[in-house]
Amino acid sequence: MEEWVGFKWHEYITRQAVGEFPEHAVHLKDEARTLGVLFRALGGDPALSLVTAEPRHFRTRRRFLQKLAGTHKKFELAWRDEQSLRLPERLALFPSKPVNRDLYLWLAALASLGELTDSDWLTGNQAMVQTLLIKWPGLEPVYQRLVRHTLQWRPDPTTLPPAEGRRERAIRQALIDPGSVETLPRAESDPWPVVIWLYPTTTPGKANGRTTGDDEVTSTPGGLAKKRKRRRAERVDAFDKDQGLMLFRLESLFSWSEFIPVDRAGDDTEEEDADAVADDMDMISVSEDRREASSAIKFDLDLPSEENDDLHLGPGIHLPEWDWRSQSYRERFCCLQPMLSKDSVPTRLPNHLSRPAMRLRRQFSALKPLRQWERRQTEGEELDLDACMEREVQHRRGIGVIDQKLFRRCKQNQRDLACLILADISMSTDTFINNTQRVIEIARDGLQLLSEALQASRDPFAIFAFSSRRRDHVRFHHIKSFDEPYNDISRGRIQALEPGYYTRMGAAIRQATRLLKGRHEHQKILLLLTDGKPNDLDLYEGRYGVEDTRMAVQEANKAGLTPFCVTIDDDASEYLPYIFGSNQFVVIKDPAQLPLQLPKLYMNLTR
């Protein structure tokens, strides 16, 4: 009973202190699509992700009820950086749902103009508001409505100490008449947050009290990236592993602090409760404790020894990589290693694929080349008897001009196209679908059935697979080249594919582009099969990998190729439109259907 009363009392006090209107709340996940479209339509960077913002700490002057409830120490505010646009997860500040929604729209529109720094927060926001209203005057009523509600939400200057009151009046003047205030009067506490302005970027992982960032966020126009908030961080010398849980008694209050040893450079395993623990922590402590040598060398042991690895075909191929930060290529930055499985053995088509393969061969055999005779040619393999008879008749009738096209020749009526299939075999393909079948097994079946179909249509095709471990080891597995026949040897190489390592997609696409550019066919298709976004152990995570892959796709388009991506990633619609374009990818909702869907997709793509 005591606990129930305490809980209800806490709930009541918090609700009274927060001063929000939960019945008029608007959530970012419901507005993400509209906000993404608006942001990019107004000129915002299309590569930015739409992500929920983490709370920022403020030393504001709080009322007694707010101190009692422990609220108003942290606020979710809008800001953007080179990686993402971050907006509050939920807005319920105003007693009107349309006004709360307008606040989301206004913040997205304001962020489309750029980001802010600490030095220009006041003047920068005023200038951005002026620019936005001049550029898009239709937003003027929205802004005025938001200003009215914001002024009602903010503290009354007359109730504040003199210095803070002067500062609050200056902020109100800047909201009402943007551009009229150049500096803010000094005061001891922080000013009450301005919810309709942007805030400066937080610097990831530096000094104490700063925030540490997560680069793995992606979204499309209208897509909302998964909730990955930045955390406040402090740097400490080392942890004592024996003190994973600390509790102390201060009268009857307990404080809990969790410690999870995470060695990012040497350990990539996932802690089961890491996300839940991080959500409960206000500050994450980072240490450079490297006492465990076994963890430090773990990844070096991931690569097989020379005698146990696949065969290396040559010394390796050096390829460039696109650095979006400097907007330039890093020449010879990646080393791609062509490889050939030495454990593969010639294998017949698996029994469970025999029936669908037979059906596909019948369907695709209708596309194979047909011999057709072209009549009345000036030269050819045989005389055209009909043309010769007509010439003799013309000669006997004394016609002056006689047709000299007396031959016929045989022409192959074939489709002028070539296809290179590039399969992602990173470690993520080792996961299970519905606890019955691994992704790599589904991918193998898909490659087998598509190969059977292409063999029946006699379209030239090649198959390669790729994975990576940092930029100096991009593995490019040879399965079938354009010049090789598709037979039991190729089938054995497909069956020998095993998952491992990471997904440096840009380098693999560049090598596939080089191979396809050497073909003489008019239509050249680069078909990519994957189950996730580009990533690797080094800097190839987040926007860096996405931008490099996007540039590699653009290079393929400029070379006259048709790149097309087939994926089973549920989140692919958050990043593939930016990489491949809206019409150059497809998401297979049911991964188990991939083997049967691949030939159909190929037929529609080449029709």
Side-chain angles (χ1 to χ4, degrees):
M1 184 64 179
E2 226 175 272
E3 292 182 1
W4 181 84
V5 172
F7 174 78
K8 289 299 181 181
W9 172 252
H10 172 74
E11 189 179 55
Y12 172 76
I13 292 295
T14 302
R15 185 168 60 249
Q16 295 298 319
V18 168
E20 291 186 343
F21 303 90
E23 66 275 13
H24 300 293
V26 180
H27 297 270
L28 180 59
K29 63 181 181 180
D30 299 326
E31 305 297 329
R33 184 170 300 277
T34 301
L35 296 176
V37 172
L38 175 67
F39 175 76
R40 289 159 177 88
L42 298 184
D45 188 345
L48 291 190
S49 308
L50 182 57
V51 191
T52 54
E54 81 287 354
R56 296 193 183 203
H57 287 258
F58 281 80
R59 294 184 300 106
T60 58
R61 182 173 296 278
R62 298 183 294 161
R63 298 193 301 271
F64 171 76
L65 197 59
Q66 295 168 347
K67 292 179 181 179
L68 182 63
T71 60
H72 292 78
K73 292 190 292 185
K74 297 187 294 184
F75 297 85
E76 289 187 2
L77 301 168
W79 57 279
R80 60 162 287 184
D81 59 9
E82 60 186 14
Q83 300 281 352
S84 56
L85 165 61
R86 297 183 179 254
L87 298 176
E89 184 179 9
R90 169 181 173 273
L91 287 177
L93 300 175
F94 307 136
S96 171
K97 194 167 187 176
V99 178
N100 287 321
R101 184 173 182 272
D102 285 345
L103 180 53
Y104 267 137
L105 298 174
W106 171 259
L107 292 173
L110 198 63
S112 68
L113 299 180
E115 58 182 288
L116 292 169
T117 61
D118 290 301
S119 59
D120 68 348
W121 173 74
L122 175 67
T123 57
N125 270 296
Q126 294 180 81
M128 290 172 67
V129 170
Q130 289 178 308
T131 302
L132 190 63
L133 294 181
I134 292 173
K135 192 175 181 181
W136 307 102
L139 292 174
E140 179 73 35
V142 175
Y143 178 71
Q144 296 300 333
R145 184 162 56 250
L146 289 173
V147 168
R148 288 196 303 271
H149 283 83
T150 301
L151 295 180
Q152 295 174 7
W153 178 75
R154 298 186 63 79
D156 186 351
T158 60
T159 63
L160 301 174
E164 295 180 19
R166 288 192 296 271
R167 183 182 60 190
E168 179 61 26
R169 292 186 185 93
I171 292 178
R172 286 171 172 262
Q173 178 64 27
L175 289 171
I176 296 171
D177 185 13
S180 61
V181 179
E182 295 183 359
T183 58
L184 286 180
R186 293 181 177 273
E188 293 183 0
S189 62
D190 293 332
W192 201 258
V194 184
V195 294
I196 63 174
W197 282 359
L198 298 182
Y199 274 74
T201 302
T202 55
T203 306
K206 287 192 177 181
N208 290 355
R210 306 293 285 183
T211 58
T212 180
D214 188 344
D215 196 29
E216 291 190 48
V217 289
T218 46
S219 71
T220 61
L224 175 63
K226 290 185 176 179
K227 180 182 175 182
R228 293 174 182 173
K229 295 184 177 181
R230 297 190 176 193
R231 305 294 174 187
R232 291 179 60 82
E234 63 176 355
R235 187 171 296 282
V236 297
D237 293 334
F239 286 109
D240 185 355
K241 285 190 64 177
D242 296 331
Q243 295 183 359
L245 175 66
M246 296 187 303
L247 58 90
F248 65 92
R249 179 157 187 158
L250 180 60
E251 295 181 351
S252 60
L253 300 178
F254 290 85
S255 175
W256 297 71
S257 176
E258 297 284 354
F259 162 56
I260 300 178
V262 178
D263 188 351
R264 182 63 182 91
D267 187 0
D268 202 36
T269 58
E270 294 186 0
E271 297 285 344
E272 292 183 0
D273 300 327
D275 289 343
V277 171
D279 285 338
D280 292 336
M281 297 177 70
D282 288 335
M283 181 174 291
I284 294 178
S285 300
V286 182
S287 164
E288 293 184 356
D289 185 6
R290 312 288 290 183
R291 290 177 294 176
E292 294 190 16
S294 60
S295 295
I297 64 173
K298 177 177 179 181
F299 276 121
D300 293 334
L301 300 179
D302 279 348
L303 292 176
S305 60
E306 189 69 27
E307 60 271 14
N308 294 324
D309 200 2
D310 291 335
L311 299 175
H312 290 212
L313 304 179
I317 302 170
H318 291 280
L319 297 171
E321 191 166 271
W322 175 255
D323 185 353
W324 70 274
R325 294 183 177 92
S326 63
Q327 292 293 295
S328 61
Y329 284 99
R330 295 183 171 187
E331 298 296 337
R332 299 176 60 85
F333 191 69
C334 295
C335 182
L336 182 139
Q337 179 61 62
M339 310 191 76
L340 184 67
S341 174
K342 68 178 182 180
D343 295 330
S344 65
V345 294
T347 307
R348 296 175 62 87
L349 187 69
N351 292 332
H352 68 281
L353 299 179
S354 298
R355 182 169 297 179
M358 185 181 304
R359 184 171 62 252
L360 288 172
R361 281 193 291 265
R362 285 199 302 267
Q363 294 174 354
F364 277 73
S365 62
L367 304 176
K368 66 183 180 182
L370 300 176
R371 291 172 59 88
Q372 289 186 346
W373 288 99
E374 292 184 334
R375 300 178 60 247
R376 298 185 180 277
Q377 303 295 315
T378 55
E379 56 184 32
E381 304 166 5
E382 300 178 1
L383 286 172
D384 187 344
L385 295 181
D386 292 338
C388 290
M389 290 284 292
E390 188 173 339
R391 180 185 184 280
E392 182 65 21
V393 170
Q394 291 175 346
H395 175 69
R396 293 189 178 187
R397 295 177 59 182
I399 298 177
V401 179
I402 300 177
D403 189 0
Q404 300 297 323
K405 298 179 180 180
L406 305 177
F407 297 90
R408 69 173 186 167
R409 61 186 177 191
C410 186
K411 180 182 179 181
Q412 294 283 357
N413 183 21
Q414 61 182 3
R415 305 195 305 170
D416 190 19
L417 63 87
C419 178
L420 188 147
I421 306 165
L422 187 59
D424 169 15
I425 57 170
S426 59
M427 183 59 71
S428 58
T429 60
D430 197 32
T431 57
F432 278 82
I433 301 296
N434 299 327
N435 296 322
T436 57
Q437 194 175 19
R438 292 190 302 165
V439 173
I440 189 65
E441 296 169 354
I442 296 174
R444 289 192 205 125
D445 290 350
L447 292 175
Q448 296 274 21
L449 289 183
L450 182 57
S451 299
E452 295 291 331
L454 296 182
Q455 179 75 357
S457 69
R458 298 188 187 178
D459 289 341
F461 70 99
I463 308 175
F464 296 89
F466 75 96
S467 60
S468 66
R469 184 184 178 273
R470 295 193 173 95
R471 65 184 180 90
D472 56 350
H473 193 80
V474 183
R475 301 163 71 89
F476 199 74
H477 294 264
H478 177 103
I479 299 174
K480 176 192 176 302
S481 67
F482 285 105
D483 300 328
E484 289 180 287
Y486 177 71
N487 50 28
D488 289 346
I489 296 177
S490 305
R491 297 185 184 97
R493 292 172 183 169
I494 292 176
Q495 291 301 117
L497 291 177
E498 287 295 336
Y501 317 110
Y502 298 86
T503 316
R504 207 174 198 97
M505 202 173 288
I509 292 177
R510 287 187 177 93
Q511 179 62 12
T513 299
R514 288 187 175 188
L515 296 175
L516 268 175
K517 284 174 64 177
R519 299 295 301 179
H520 64 274
E521 285 81 4
H522 176 70
Q523 185 179 9
K524 305 169 188 177
I525 298 173
L526 172 55
L527 188 61
L528 175 66
L529 309 181
T530 183
D531 69 329
K533 64 177 180 295
N535 77 300
D536 208 334
L537 280 175
D538 50 16
L539 76 170
Y540 207 81
E541 292 193 33
R543 186 171 179 181
Y544 186 97
V546 169
E547 291 285 356
D548 176 63
T549 305
R550 180 173 184 259
M551 184 58 67
V553 171
Q554 291 180 356
E555 294 167 15
N557 282 317
K558 292 177 181 177
L561 278 59
T562 304
F564 193 87
C565 180
V566 180
T567 183
I568 60 173
D569 185 11
D570 292 335
D571 299 326
S573 57
E574 296 178 354
Y575 57 88
L576 283 187
Y578 180 69
I579 297 177
F580 284 88
S582 57
N583 298 320
Q584 290 184 275
F585 76 96
V586 66
V587 180
I588 305 296
K589 297 297 183 181
D590 183 4
Q593 295 299 314
L594 176 67
L596 296 178
Q597 293 296 325
L598 266 183
K600 296 179 182 178
L601 289 170
Y602 177 83
M603 183 174 288
N604 292 332
L605 191 61
T606 60
R607 180 168 295 171

